């Protein structure tokens, strides 16, 4: 078996470029990838590296293989290009299938037994599976990171502090609220208010869709923190259902100054 492993290891290293050119063409046709020149060259470089790794891995123990860096899209080229994980998995799986057929044909030429060829199959499948596993994890991690970045940007855009006159600013709140969004306002937005030399913060609730128990507690916690910071809170756009929810929850509404709109606040402050 050692001689068989040495043969296939040498074969993969020596013939990797011709194998890649031949098999990648078949993969492209089978999957209708329509690879452009740049993507094709990138696949070739990545496959060249992968086949070199496969060649080395055939001579290593299972434990040593598991410790090898067998990921495919190492520099996240295809992830950045917007390729789907499904496309990457199908590309590698189809390439592996054609590679195994090629290895079988070479084994038959060299009179290698079916048993030994099957063992080579198992090795190649394991190595490619490791590459697929690492690639899948990398794709998922990158996607999760991107989603978190977008969500943070949305949170920032969803709670802007808008100065409207000296020492007065508006915090317009729009849409639905959940725990993460409330926590973002409490932990990130309110501290910014304290650093902007604001004396009065107008919290405009006219764009809030739902004002449930959780949201109500969040807003009153916000007001409490602002009060401790010496910042006066004025609320605008308080609809009847919002006021009713606050009363039903037994929240302390005394001392809260409310107006129908931000315009009414400005007219009052100008008097």
């Amino acid at each position: 078996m050692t001689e068989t492993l040495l043969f296939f290891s040498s074969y993969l290293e020596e013939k990797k470029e011709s194998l890649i050119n031949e098999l990648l063409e078949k993969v492209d046709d089978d999957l209708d990838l329509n690879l452009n020149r740049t993507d094709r060259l990138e696949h070739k470089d990545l496959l060249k590296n992968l086949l070199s790794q496969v060649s080395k891995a055939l001579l290593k123990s299972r434990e040593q293989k598991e410790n090898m860096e067998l990921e495919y899209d190492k520099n996240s080229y295809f992830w950045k290009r917007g390729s789907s994980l499904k496309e990457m998995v199908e590309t590698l799986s189809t390439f592996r299938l054609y590679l195994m057929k090629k290895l079988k044909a070479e084994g038959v030429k060299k009179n290698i037994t079916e048993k030994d060829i099957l063992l080579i199959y198992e090795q190649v499948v394991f190595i490619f599976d490791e590459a697929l596993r690492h690639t899948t994890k990398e794709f998922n991690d990158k996607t999760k990171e991107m989603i978190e970045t977008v969500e943070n940007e949305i949170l920032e855009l969803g709670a802007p502090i808008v100065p409207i006159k000296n020492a007065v600013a508006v915090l317009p709140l729009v849409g639905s609220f959940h725990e993460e969004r409330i926590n973002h306002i409490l932990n990130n937005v309110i501290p910014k208010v304290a650093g902007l030399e604001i004396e009065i913060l107008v919290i405009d609730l006219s764009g809030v869709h739902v004002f449930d128990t959780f949201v109500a507690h969040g807003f009153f916690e916000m007001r409490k923190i602002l009060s401790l910071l010496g910042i006066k809170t004025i609320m605008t756009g308080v609809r009847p259902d919002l006021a009713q929810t606050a009363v039903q929850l037994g929240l302390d509404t005394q001392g809260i100054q409310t107006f129908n709109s931000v315009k009414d606040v400005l007219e009052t402050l100008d008097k």
Side-chain angles (χ1 to χ4, degrees):
M1 184 60 190
T2 302
E3 288 184 6
T4 300
L5 289 170
L6 285 169
F7 166 73
F8 281 113
S9 176
S10 298
Y11 172 78
L12 287 171
E13 186 58 40
E14 293 169 9
K15 302 290 185 181
K16 61 187 177 187
E17 292 203 24
S18 61
L19 282 170
I20 290 167
N21 288 332
E22 177 188 346
L23 303 184
L24 184 58
E25 190 70 34
K26 292 181 178 181
V27 172
D28 193 2
D29 290 341
D30 273 10
L31 301 178
D32 291 323
L33 297 175
N34 298 315
L35 295 172
N36 61 39
R37 184 176 180 277
T38 305
D39 289 352
R40 186 181 294 275
L41 288 173
E42 188 68 23
H43 268 303
K44 285 182 177 181
D45 285 343
L46 293 172
L47 286 167
K48 192 185 299 183
N49 177 67
L50 181 58
L51 287 191
S52 289
Q53 294 291 342
V54 172
S55 171
K56 295 173 185 175
L58 286 175
L59 305 178
K60 296 180 180 291
S61 67
R62 188 182 184 90
E63 184 179 349
Q64 287 174 321
K65 290 186 187 72
E66 289 174 351
N67 292 327
M68 292 178 70
E69 293 183 4
L70 292 168
E71 62 220 82
Y72 186 62
D73 191 19
K74 294 181 73 172
N75 296 318
S76 303
Y77 170 84
F78 287 102
W79 183 87
K80 292 173 184 174
R81 293 273 290 177
S83 299
S84 67
L85 178 58
K86 178 176 179 288
E87 181 181 309
M88 293 295 293
V89 170
E90 286 181 345
T91 300
L92 275 178
S93 298
T94 306
F95 184 89
R96 176 175 63 183
L97 180 62
Y98 280 120
L99 177 64
M100 289 166 69
K101 288 179 179 179
K102 198 76 176 175
L103 294 178
K104 181 180 179 180
E106 288 299 314
V108 170
K109 284 182 190 177
K110 295 293 181 181
N111 296 317
I112 295 172
T113 65
E114 287 189 9
K115 180 181 178 182
D116 282 354
I117 291 174
L118 181 60
L119 289 173
I120 293 296
Y121 271 21
E122 290 176 354
Q123 298 255 25
V124 172
V125 167
F126 174 78
I127 295 163
F128 267 78
D129 278 350
E130 283 295 293
L132 285 165
R133 184 175 66 81
H134 283 295
T135 300
T136 299
K137 183 180 183 301
E138 184 69 16
F139 255 68
N140 289 338
D141 288 347
K142 289 284 185 184
T143 301
K144 182 182 177 184
E145 183 181 317
M146 180 188 70
I147 291 171
E148 287 176 351
T149 300
V150 172
E151 286 179 343
N152 287 334
E153 288 174 356
I154 290 171
L155 288 173
E156 289 289 342
L157 292 171
I161 302 166
V162 184
I164 53 175
K165 59 184 305 181
N166 186 38
V168 181
V170 177
L171 178 60
L173 300 174
V174 180
S176 301
F177 281 77
H178 46 75
E179 184 176 1
E180 188 177 3
R181 193 171 177 193
I182 290 289
N183 287 337
H184 172 75
I185 293 172
L186 292 173
N187 299 326
N188 300 98
V189 179
I190 299 304
K192 288 182 183 177
V193 175
L196 293 174
E197 297 183 355
I198 292 171
E199 297 175 6
I200 299 173
L201 181 66
V202 181
I203 301 176
D204 183 36
L205 306 177
S206 56
V208 176
H209 295 158
V210 179
F211 195 81
D212 58 15
T213 304
F214 177 76
V215 176
H217 278 294
F219 284 131
F220 277 86
E221 180 67 21
M222 194 187 309
R223 175 178 170 270
K224 194 184 298 182
I225 294 171
L226 288 167
S227 178
L228 291 173
L229 293 171
I231 299 169
K232 180 181 178 180
T233 304
I234 296 175
M235 289 192 175
T236 61
V238 180
R239 302 189 306 272
D241 59 317
L242 274 64
Q244 188 176 8
T245 300
V247 172
Q248 288 173 346
L249 294 172
L251 298 172
D252 183 11
T253 57
Q254 288 187 350
I256 298 179
Q257 196 171 2
T258 62
F259 290 84
N260 289 330
S261 67
V262 176
K263 180 184 175 184
D264 292 339
V265 176
L266 289 173
E267 289 175 353
T268 302
L269 293 175
D270 287 338
K271 288 179 181 178

